[in-house]
């Protein structure tokens, strides 16, 4: 693969650290390096969890396009040691490794359904314990951490820049956060790098006894190991900015004072459902898997996500999904068999402008309107849409023949009995599920429409 000259396209990204949109200049254009905090693996990803995966997948695709597919290293970790995982294992009586393996498999298949490419590297925390211990030892040696009571804590007071990313003072952070006061802490803000494990919990031998790492240290250790002491972009949801990202910065910058850790910090906003925060108590909480099972194609979910800029709250609505499905059906019909197109410069320019995915989609609409199938297909590909594989949901896989047979026989019966209630019931259910019902003297034809939802047909027959 030849690498395009990076000066062909100026990429501009909003840097959370400086709160400005800046021109992106890679440390090494031969190897653009990105780190994104990945999931803690103990349960299915909910819809909100998928947003950073999709957002940073677009960034990955853009960088690959501009710098060349072999010149981008994208690392997204799996947190496979965590108290939530331990709790799940205790609740279910299942081994931890079984839970984490299963969840990693689910995550990869769910994200795959959303058209998310696998990152270059997907390290698991438990594979980097030695590196974490080494980093913690260094932090103790340089006076940034201390051991107490089987724990090791990072001394926040030892790092004057603490809080700069989120722009908050230490006092503000203490007031706003649930800071755990513990007898082994010198300061309530100090956070755990290492903690002791009882025999029933996962643990590793360390200079401070058998224990396990705190959450924050894993990203510092893995990004250092895989990307070095300075790399280009660190991403994650904005719910991670404090304390997780502040703590990562403190650890990494104190352990490797020569390095700059991440030059650019990018944070995606959260996801809502029908205008409300997604929560189990509101009953609007669902997983990616559940949505896929209901027959919402992964590509539709992706399209809806990308129709909102990553820095704004994304409101998931059934109406948006319906519209997206309609659009994608049309576009797939248009690009079917199209080949050899180039990404339209305006689509590239929109993405290079701080990942303006909504702007890029506007250009796609125009290209579709002009009937430029080859350019539409290549351009949509840069957003991870309209791939040949992805189009399989269009038209295929929906078998309504049983429904058609039942409706036809109900009509025959109704002609005799003059009772059309069963015909009406079936028709109403089909229409509610987004099926176009065509009844003629020749028979019944059922055509799934753009808003077709197979889940609504459950129990109709
Ligand atoms: Zn992280």
């Amino acid at each position: 693969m030849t690498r395009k000259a990076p000066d062909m396209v100026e990429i501009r990204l909003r840097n959370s650290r400086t709160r400005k949109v800046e021109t992106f200049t890679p440390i090494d254009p031969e190897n653009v390096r990105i780190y994104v905090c990945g999931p803690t693996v103990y349960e299915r990803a909910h819809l909100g969890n998928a947003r950073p995966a999709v957002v940073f997948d677009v960034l990955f695709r853009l960088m690959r396009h501009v710098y060349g597919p072999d010149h981008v290293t994208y690392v997204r970790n799996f947190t496979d040691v965590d108290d939530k995982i331990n709790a799940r294992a205790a609740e279910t009586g299942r081994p931890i490794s079984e839970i984490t393996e299963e969840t990693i498999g689910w995550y990869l298949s769910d994200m795959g359904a959303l058209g998310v490419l696998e990152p270059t590297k997907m390290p698991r925390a438990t594979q980097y314990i030695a590196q974490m211990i080494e980093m913690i030892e260094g932090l103790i040696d340089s006076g940034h951490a201390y051991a107490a009571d089987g724990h090791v804590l990072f001394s926040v007071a030892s790092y004057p820049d603490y809080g700069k990313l989120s722009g908050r003072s230490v006092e503000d952070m203490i007031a706003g956060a649930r800071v755990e006061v513990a007898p082994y802490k010198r300061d309530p803000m100090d956070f755990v790098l290492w903690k002791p494990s009882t025999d029933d919990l996962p643990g590793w031998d360390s200079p401070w006894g058998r224990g396990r790492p705190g959450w924050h240290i894993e990203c510092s250790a893995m990004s250092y190991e895989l990307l070095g002491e300075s790399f280009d972009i660190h991403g994650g949801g904005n719910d991670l900015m404090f304390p997780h990202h502040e703590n990562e910065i403190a650890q990494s910058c104190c352990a490797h004072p020569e390095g700059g850790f991440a030059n650019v910090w990018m944070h995606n906003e959260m996801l809502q459902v029908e205008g409300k925060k997604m929560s189990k108590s509101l009953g609007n909480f669902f997983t990616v898997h559940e949505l896929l099972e209901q027959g919402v194609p992964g590509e539709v979910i992706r399209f809806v996500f990308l129709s909102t800029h990553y820095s704004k709250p994304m409101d998931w609505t059934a109406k948006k999904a319906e519209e997206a499905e309609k659009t994608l059906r049309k576009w797939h019909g248009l690009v079917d068999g199209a080949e050899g197109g180039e990404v339209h410069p305006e689509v590239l320019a929109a993405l290079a402008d701080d990942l303006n995915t909504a702007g890029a989609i506007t250009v796609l609409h125009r290209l579709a309107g002009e009937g430029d199938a080859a350019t539409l297909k290549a351009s949509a590909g840069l957003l991870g849409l309209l791939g040949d594989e992805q189009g399989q949901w269009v038209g295929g896989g929906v078998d309504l023949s049983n429904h058609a047979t039942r409706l036809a026989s109900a009509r025959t019966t109704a002609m005799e009995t003059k009772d059309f209630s069963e015909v009406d019931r079936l028709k109403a259910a089909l229409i509610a599920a987004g099926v176009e019902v065509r009844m003629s003297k020749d028979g019944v034809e059922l055509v799934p429409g753009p808003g077709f939802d197979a889940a609504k047909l459950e129990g109709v027959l």
Side-chain angles (χ1 to χ4, degrees):
M1 284 279 177
T2 49
R3 185 169 58 81
K4 294 178 188 177
D7 58 358
M8 276 175 66
V9 182
E10 185 185 80
I11 297 176
R12 291 168 60 75
L13 300 171
R14 184 178 189 278
N15 189 348
S16 316
R17 194 166 58 81
T18 59
R19 291 163 193 82
K20 286 192 184 100
V21 178
E22 299 169 351
T23 299
F24 174 71
T25 313
I27 298 167
D28 175 7
E30 297 293 324
N31 185 17
V32 176
R33 286 161 288 162
I34 305 170
Y35 186 93
V36 172
C37 299
T40 301
V41 283
Y42 66 104
E43 61 183 8
R44 288 259 188 203
H46 64 66
L47 198 59
N49 298 142
R51 193 174 188 200
V54 170
V55 164
F56 293 107
D57 179 65
V58 174
L59 179 71
F60 183 39
R61 287 170 186 268
L62 172 67
M63 292 297 176
R64 283 162 56 100
H65 181 80
V66 174
Y67 293 96
D70 302 330
H71 298 279
V72 185
T73 306
Y74 172 26
V75 178
R76 188 189 64 209
N77 67 301
F78 285 115
T79 298
D80 61 348
V81 51
D82 186 274
D83 290 350
K84 290 194 274 292
I85 304 173
N86 300 340
R88 184 58 51 95
E91 276 160 38
T92 57
R94 296 175 67 200
I96 283 174
S97 58
E98 204 178 289
I99 293 172
T100 56
E101 277 303 318
E102 175 182 73
T103 313
I104 287 171
W106 286 343
Y107 184 82
L108 292 177
S109 81
D110 289 348
M111 294 311 121
L114 303 190
V116 173
L117 300 173
E118 290 201 355
T120 325
K121 288 177 177 143
M122 296 187 281
R124 302 179 185 194
T126 53
Q127 296 165 336
Y128 289 82
I129 302 289
Q131 289 87 341
M132 294 182 215
I133 291 174
E134 200 185 318
M135 193 176 240
I136 296 169
E137 284 182 302
L139 288 168
I140 295 176
D141 290 346
S142 58
H144 291 291
Y146 57 93
D149 239 358
H151 293 71
V152 181
L153 293 124
F154 185 90
S155 166
V156 167
S158 79
Y159 182 60
D161 282 348
Y162 192 84
K164 272 204 169 164
L165 175 68
S166 46
R168 299 157 79 175
S169 69
V170 171
E171 292 72 31
D172 271 5
M173 287 185 270
I174 294 179
R178 284 179 301 162
V179 173
E180 192 195 352
V181 182
Y184 48 81
K185 283 187 180 182
R186 288 183 194 159
D187 186 307
M189 278 303 283
D190 293 350
F191 58 87
V192 169
L193 301 174
W194 189 263
K195 55 188 167 188
S197 285
T198 49
D199 287 342
D200 56 326
L201 291 176
W204 291 263
D205 290 329
S206 82
W208 319 286
R210 186 176 175 277
R212 60 193 193 281
W215 170 35
H216 317 296
I217 193 71
E218 69 176 75
C219 289
S220 286
M222 292 188 287
S223 63
Y224 174 69
E225 198 62 25
L226 298 169
L227 300 175
E229 61 185 18
S230 305
F231 56 93
D232 296 298
I233 301 171
H234 193 310
N238 67 354
D239 55 333
L240 298 183
M241 201 185 284
F242 175 78
H244 183 54
H245 290 162
E246 293 286 5
N247 293 356
E248 279 189 39
I249 292 173
Q251 294 161 160
S252 292
C253 291
C254 292
H256 307 289
E258 304 302 311
F261 195 36
N263 276 352
V264 180
W265 282 82
M266 290 177 72
H267 290 95
N268 66 274
E269 251 291 352
M270 297 294 100
L271 178 131
Q272 304 177 324
V273 174
E274 308 285 353
K276 293 200 182 74
K277 190 175 179 219
M278 186 158 91
S279 83
K280 282 180 180 158
S281 60
L282 286 175
N284 64 355
F285 182 96
F286 45 88
T287 65
V288 173
H289 179 72
E290 283 164 344
L291 215 49
L292 295 169
E293 288 278 280
Q294 286 165 22
V296 180
E299 193 184 16
V300 168
I301 301 174
R302 184 180 181 96
F303 188 100
V304 172
F305 276 17
L306 296 183
S307 60
T308 298
H309 192 258
Y310 76 87
S311 67
K312 297 198 177 85
M314 152 86 244
D315 191 21
W316 173 269
T317 68
K319 188 165 187 297
K320 281 185 191 173
E322 226 171 85
E323 290 292 321
E325 189 170 332
K326 219 185 280 179
T327 301
L328 286 168
R329 267 185 199 283
K330 204 164 66 190
W331 290 1
H332 271 293
L334 204 61
V335 304
D336 191 24
E339 261 173 82
E342 291 277 338
V343 172
H344 194 281
E346 284 177 52
V347 172
L348 180 56
L351 293 187
D353 178 18
D354 194 25
L355 301 187
N356 181 3
T357 50
I361 287 173
T362 304
V363 182
L364 297 183
H365 276 290
R366 202 186 70 212
L367 293 171
E370 291 164 359
D372 188 350
T375 309
L376 173 63
K377 186 169 184 184
S379 305
L382 191 55
L383 282 93
L385 298 167
L386 298 188
D388 291 331
E389 291 274 299
Q390 280 171 307
Q392 285 174 3
W393 62 271
V394 179
V398 185
D399 184 1
L400 295 173
S401 54
N402 286 338
H403 295 81
T405 312
R406 177 73 77 89
L407 185 55
S409 72
R411 185 174 61 168
T412 311
T413 310
M415 295 293 207
E416 288 166 16
T417 61
K418 305 293 172 204
D419 177 1
F420 284 84
S421 58
E422 176 63 1
V423 174
D424 293 342
R425 185 190 71 84
L426 286 169
K427 262 177 82 175
L430 286 160
I431 290 164
V435 179
E436 205 185 318
V437 181
R438 296 176 193 156
M439 297 177 83
S440 67
K441 59 178 179 3
D442 299 319
V444 173
E445 199 189 346
L446 301 179
V447 183
F452 176 66
D453 182 356
K456 290 190 180 152
L457 288 178
E458 253 168 58
V460 167
L461 294 185

